Amino acid sequence: MSFGEPNNPYGPPQGQQPGYGHPQGQQPGYGYPQAPPAPQGYGQQPFPTTMSGTVGAARVLLWVIVGLQLIGAGVFAVLGASVHAARNDSELKNNSNFQQLADYSTGWLWAITVFAVAWAVFAAVLAVKFNTGGNGVRITILVFAIITAILGIYPFVIVGLLHTVLAILIAVFVGNSGGSAWFNRPRQQPAY
């Protein structure tokens, strides 16, 4: 058998007409088209190295809440001290406007003061943990924001309106995909 015979199945194709077979200049494929190259990290999305704008804004809003809480604690402390000092004043015992204010318990005013300071400290700790905290810190911030929004609506309606708006923004900024990516990023282990 020679390659020159027209019926030889192992020889080169004889007299192939144009348009049949494989196109010139391309290698034949074997069934499926080639897949695009795999992304870095074998299918995982790259992790952020810098904090996104919304996550940074949430941290700033937490610091604003810290400042507002400290201002509120100062107001309640001054109010509690002045009510306590003025209860014994003989001139104010006849004043009906002051008697309505004096009906508030000074213990209740001091309890609100302590709560405001504790809430400010909690917000400050959460704001500091933005760089090093993981998903647990993210969930804690979400719970903090939701409770702050609820407290801003119910007991402190007029004063708490700003807290409610800030807390809703914090929950949205930390709860979105940028917040999830930031708090779930891998962290370097300390070298021993």
Side-chain angles (χ1 to χ4, degrees):
M1 279 197 204
S2 72
F3 288 113
E5 291 182 18
N7 294 329
N8 182 3
Y10 301 109
Q14 299 291 325
Q16 195 173 24
Q17 295 179 2
Y20 291 100
H22 300 292
Q24 298 297 323
Q26 293 182 359
Q27 294 183 350
Y30 294 100
Y32 296 103
Q34 252 188 342
Q40 206 174 19
Y42 299 106
Q44 298 175 356
Q45 294 295 328
F47 291 100
T49 56
T50 59
M51 193 180 304
S52 70
T54 57
V55 176
R59 183 172 58 174
V60 169
L61 293 177
L62 268 173
W63 284 113
V64 170
I65 285 179
V66 168
L68 291 174
Q69 287 296 115
L70 293 177
I71 290 171
V75 167
F76 279 113
V78 167
L79 187 62
S82 62
V83 166
H84 180 70
R87 275 193 178 164
N88 299 328
D89 190 4
S90 60
E91 290 179 12
L92 294 176
K93 287 190 184 236
N94 297 331
N95 188 345
S96 63
N97 291 333
F98 176 74
Q99 289 305 318
Q100 289 176 346
L101 182 63
D103 288 341
Y104 288 114
S105 168
T106 55
W108 178 248
L109 292 172
W110 285 109
I112 292 175
T113 303
V114 169
F115 176 74
V117 169
W119 205 247
V121 169
F122 188 43
V125 168
L126 290 176
V128 168
K129 289 286 192 178
F130 262 72
N131 285 335
T132 59
N135 199 40
V137 172
R138 177 177 171 253
I139 291 170
T140 306
I141 292 169
L142 285 170
V143 170
F144 172 84
I146 291 167
I147 291 172
T148 301
I150 291 170
L151 288 175
I153 290 172
Y154 175 61
F156 310 107
V157 176
I158 295 173
V159 179
L161 186 61
L162 183 59
H163 276 76
T164 301
V165 171
L166 294 175
I168 290 171
L169 288 173
I170 290 169
V172 168
F173 291 161
V174 172
N176 67 12
S177 61
S180 177
W182 176 253
F183 286 105
N184 288 323
R185 74 193 187 285
R187 287 157 187 81
Q188 293 190 2
Q189 300 296 327
Y192 293 106

